[in-house]
Amino acid sequence: MALIRWDPFREFTNLQREMNRLFDEFTPFEDRGLKGTSFMPAAELQETAETLELKLEIPGIDSKDLDIQVTEQAVSISGERRSETSTEENGMTRSEFRYGNFQRVIPLPTRVQHDQVKADYNNGILSLSLPKAESEKQKVFKVNLN
């Protein structure tokens, strides 16, 4: 029986080869008939004494493709990221970008004055300033000790 010297780097090479094979076999959602699969934009909500400040990360979408609706208790944002890729006759395009429609409803921790919301969309960040309802600003909760 012949002894073979173990080479740990050979194991890494085999693992890399298998991972590359898996990624080569992967087909995007569009190729599997799931065109328009939605994505979820990241959100950040900060509460101050007077307002709720909501930011959403939505790069690559024109402001005209966004629909923002605000109630006293929630914010609904929907839109569409359109694909603008073109493939040459002999070329191939690979993309990890997500295209299609999205919708996100964010419940608010306090009631807001939904008719006085200020919005700004700059560099792919949607910023909403939601003034709290007057009744919410003046709330004081009594804490009972047991």
Side-chain angles (χ1 to χ4, degrees):
M1 173 190 246
L3 290 177
I4 299 174
R5 184 178 175 117
W6 180 66
D7 181 9
F9 294 106
R10 184 179 317 144
E11 299 297 323
F12 286 118
T13 303
N14 289 340
L15 178 63
Q16 182 179 17
R17 187 178 311 116
E18 286 300 308
M19 292 298 290
N20 287 339
R21 184 185 60 78
L22 285 173
F23 282 114
D24 287 341
E25 291 176 3
F26 175 75
T27 55
F29 289 122
E30 289 81 9
D31 292 344
R32 287 187 264 157
L34 299 174
K35 197 167 192 115
T37 301
S38 63
F39 60 95
M40 187 72 62
E44 179 179 284
L45 182 64
Q46 181 180 9
E47 184 173 358
T48 67
E50 301 291 319
T51 64
L52 295 175
E53 301 294 329
L54 177 64
K55 291 182 181 179
L56 279 98
E57 188 177 50
I58 316 174
I61 298 178
D62 289 335
S63 59
K64 68 179 185 318
D65 293 330
L66 293 174
D67 180 34
I68 305 164
Q69 298 180 11
V70 181
T71 67
E72 291 180 344
Q73 301 164 342
V75 175
S76 172
I77 298 156
S78 59
E80 180 179 6
R81 181 180 291 156
R82 297 188 176 132
S83 173
E84 297 179 8
T85 59
S86 61
T87 305
E88 296 177 16
E89 188 173 314
N90 294 328
M92 183 173 106
T93 301
R94 285 187 183 225
S95 177
E96 293 181 357
F97 291 1
R98 292 187 178 202
Y99 298 102
N101 297 321
F102 73 90
Q103 180 176 13
R104 178 133 191 211
V105 177
I106 300 170
L108 301 173
T110 61
R111 293 177 356 118
V112 296
Q113 298 177 26
H114 63 284
D115 57 343
Q116 296 183 14
V117 175
K118 293 180 182 167
D120 182 45
Y121 185 61
N122 191 14
N123 293 329
I125 304 293
L126 174 65
S127 300
L128 299 176
S129 181
L130 307 142
K132 289 182 180 179
E134 288 300 321
S135 62
E136 296 294 327
K137 292 180 190 176
Q138 304 302 325
K139 274 191 178 176
V140 176
F141 296 94
K142 180 170 172 60
V143 178
N144 294 319
L145 295 174
N146 293 330

